[in-house]
Amino acid sequence: EYLQKQNIKKTNWTELHPTSPQYLFVPRDERRSKQFLSYWSIQDIFPVNSVGIVTSRDNFVIDFGKSNLLKRIRQFVDESFDDIFV
């Protein structure tokens, strides 16, 4: 809706000059960027990264209903229950 109401010829454009390593596409005051880049980067502080918690069993360990989740947990710890059908 916004784009339909706009006229490209009447748009006030701002010329940007994105620079490495961020390549930000927003207007910025770059006067202190040299000082900013002199500090440690996130990669320097945290050299090991991960994708976070990965269960690989989301359909088993995540549910909207507490009772359904508790039922699956009880079945999981019940040695008499055949878990091939879980």
Side-chain angles (χ1 to χ4, degrees):
E1 185 178 326
Y2 172 83
L3 291 174
Q4 289 176 339
K5 293 179 181 177
Q6 302 308 308
N7 182 333
I8 195 167
K9 293 179 182 176
K10 294 181 180 178
T11 300
N12 292 325
W13 297 98
T14 301
E15 187 171 337
L16 301 175
H17 302 279
T19 57
S20 174
Q22 290 93 8
Y23 296 103
L24 301 173
F25 291 98
V26 293
R28 287 184 40 158
D29 181 353
E30 298 287 337
R31 289 179 287 186
R32 297 181 75 187
S33 64
K34 188 174 184 179
Q35 179 184 1
F36 174 80
L37 293 173
S38 72
Y39 296 107
W40 293 351
S41 72
I42 294 295
Q43 289 123 349
D44 292 338
I45 298 169
F46 302 106
V48 178
N49 59 42
S50 75
V51 296
I53 298 171
V54 178
T55 66
S56 299
R57 303 286 184 268
D58 288 353
N59 61 345
F60 179 74
V61 298
I62 297 174
D63 203 305
F64 288 107
K66 182 177 179 178
S67 62
N68 291 335
L69 184 57
L70 288 172
K71 180 182 173 186
R72 282 199 301 275
I73 292 170
R74 286 186 190 106
Q75 289 174 340
F76 181 74
V77 297
D78 184 352
E79 293 180 8
S80 68
F81 187 78
D82 187 359
D83 64 350
I84 196 166
F85 297 110
V86 175

